Amino acid sequence: MLKLSKKAEYALMAAKFMAMKNSSGYSTAKEISESCMIPYQLVAKVLQNMVKSNLAISAKGTNGGFSLAKNPIDISVMDIIKSVESNYKLVDCLQPKSSLEDCSHLDCCKIRDPLIEIQRKIDKVFSETSLVQIL
Amino acid sequence: MLKLSKKAEYALMAAKFMAMKNSSGYSTAKEISESCMIPYQLVAKVLQNMVKSNLAISAKGTNGGFSLAKNPIDISVMDIIKSVESNYKLVDCLQPKSSLEDCSHLDCCKIRDPLIEIQRKIDKVFSETSLVQIL
DNA sequence: TTTGAATCAGACCAAAATAGTCCTATTACA
DNA sequence: TGTAATAGGACTATTTTGGTCTGATTCAAA
């Protein structure tokens, strides 16, 4: 519980890898996979997610690969987590599309509002931590 | 990911229930189960965990039940979560018994130290939120 | 002293979420 | 045109979670 998924872990590691590659140029999924000991297929998927979220850019074909789309200081840990995870809320009824009606405990559940506040504080931690603090 | 377990949710609800029962006296697992629409066996287990963690006291036999062992202001959300969950760390290698050697990525994983700091901040959120803020 | 209401405790099962694999298509450079 | 790379979907295996079942123990009241 309250654990980061492997996808999120791998995304952080991959982001760090690309950020550390100071010289511009692409990092390939294979390269990151081997350096970080992450299954190739997984890190490839994670990188694709990062591209979709505009955190990274990709180049196909020979000499292609991935590189960060922004300066690391402008990428938050939250950005990285969100790029690979849609459900990162403490409880389901805090998901964007959810409403009180989705609460299986109906009005007997009186802990939703306090949890919103806790969720907000946790979001703040992830949003205010930048990729540069991971380097 | 980063989700509270049902056990933790139920523990919070049960703690709130007992705290709200202003008149002293015991709340039974059955009573909490029905009021909060939580499966009886589950809430019973959760309450037992709370007793083990000295958050609640129990009385067996007829007219028995559970009640909080402390003033709600002296119980943190962290206390409640910890009473039902042992693994609440962002990543496994931050568990108390873990060490760097447990990291399957060995020294290629360079995100452990930054995660310790993030973990610390999240712990702080849960530790500084008291049960009274849930009421 | 018996009965019933309650906690206590462990094994067990089912379902869901997570982690990982496989296969194929597409793109672009040499 | 061959090869190195991303893109992406389907699939499988594993782990975690949520929940159930069974039975033992304790205690108060009838």
Side-chain angles (χ1 to χ4, degrees):
Chain A
M1 78 161 287
L2 282 180
K3 204 171 299 186
L4 235 44
S5 66
K6 288 290 174 191
K7 279 202 296 191
E9 258 185 72
Y10 297 161
L12 288 169
M13 290 166 76
K16 172 163 185 170
F17 186 94
M18 290 187 283
M20 302 278 283
K21 190 159 184 168
N22 46 356
S23 72
S24 65
Y26 295 115
S27 311
T28 68
K30 183 159 178 280
E31 188 183 357
I32 298 176
S33 158
E34 288 172 357
S35 299
C36 300
M37 297 180 70
I38 304 173
Y40 169 75
Q41 307 270 15
L42 272 193
V43 81
K45 289 239 162 64
V46 159
L47 287 161
Q48 284 163 32
N49 288 334
M50 293 174 77
V51 170
K52 276 193 180 168
S53 308
N54 297 113
L55 293 183
I57 54 174
S58 67
K60 287 185 173 184
T62 311
N63 300 329
F66 300 88
S67 86
L68 292 178
K70 313 178 191 179
N71 191 309
I73 201 160
D74 295 320
I75 297 179
S76 70
V77 170
M78 176 67 100
D79 292 332
I80 296 171
I81 289 177
K82 274 193 172 171
S83 77
V84 293
E85 288 292 343
S86 41
N87 287 23
Y88 77 101
K89 295 296 183 183
L90 289 175
V91 291
D92 287 330
C93 63
L94 294 188
Q95 293 298 334
K97 289 181 230 155
S98 302
S99 66
L100 269 176
E101 286 73 46
D102 292 326
C103 179
S104 56
H105 302 282
L106 306 167
D107 51 3
C108 60
C109 161
K110 300 292 199 325
I111 62 170
R112 188 173 183 268
D113 289 345
L115 283 182
I116 290 177
E117 182 59 15
I118 293 179
Q119 180 75 63
R120 203 188 56 71
K121 288 180 181 168
I122 291 179
D123 287 355
K124 194 160 176 281
V125 172
F126 288 115
S127 299
E128 290 183 351
T129 305
S130 150
L131 176 53
V132 296
Q133 292 167 259
I134 306 291
L135 304 185
Chain B
M1 77 161 288
L2 284 178
K3 204 171 299 186
L4 235 44
S5 67
K6 288 290 173 190
K7 279 202 297 190
E9 258 184 71
Y10 296 161
L12 287 168
M13 291 166 75
K16 172 164 186 170
F17 186 94
M18 290 187 283
M20 302 277 284
K21 189 158 186 171
N22 46 356
S23 71
S24 65
Y26 294 114
S27 312
T28 67
K30 183 159 178 281
E31 187 183 358
I32 298 176
S33 158
E34 288 171 357
S35 299
C36 301
M37 298 179 69
I38 304 173
Y40 169 77
Q41 307 270 16
L42 272 193
V43 80
K45 288 241 165 67
V46 159
L47 287 161
Q48 283 163 33
N49 287 335
M50 292 174 77
V51 170
K52 275 193 181 167
S53 308
N54 297 114
L55 294 183
I57 55 173
S58 67
K60 287 186 175 183
T62 310
N63 301 329
F66 300 87
S67 85
L68 292 177
K70 313 179 191 179
N71 190 310
I73 201 161
D74 295 321
I75 298 179
S76 69
V77 169
M78 177 68 100
D79 292 332
I80 296 171
I81 290 177
K82 272 192 172 171
S83 77
V84 293
E85 288 291 343
S86 42
N87 285 24
Y88 77 101
K89 295 296 183 184
L90 289 177
V91 291
D92 287 331
C93 63
L94 294 188
Q95 294 297 337
K97 289 181 232 156
S98 301
S99 65
L100 270 177
E101 286 73 46
D102 292 325
C103 179
S104 55
H105 303 280
L106 307 165
D107 52 2
C108 60
C109 161
K110 300 292 198 329
I111 62 170
R112 188 173 183 266
D113 288 346
L115 283 181
I116 289 177
E117 181 60 14
I118 293 179
Q119 179 77 63
R120 204 189 54 72
K121 289 179 181 168
I122 291 179
D123 288 356
K124 193 160 176 280
V125 172
F126 287 114
S127 298
E128 291 183 351
T129 305
S130 151
L131 176 53
V132 295
Q133 292 168 259
I134 305 290
L135 304 185

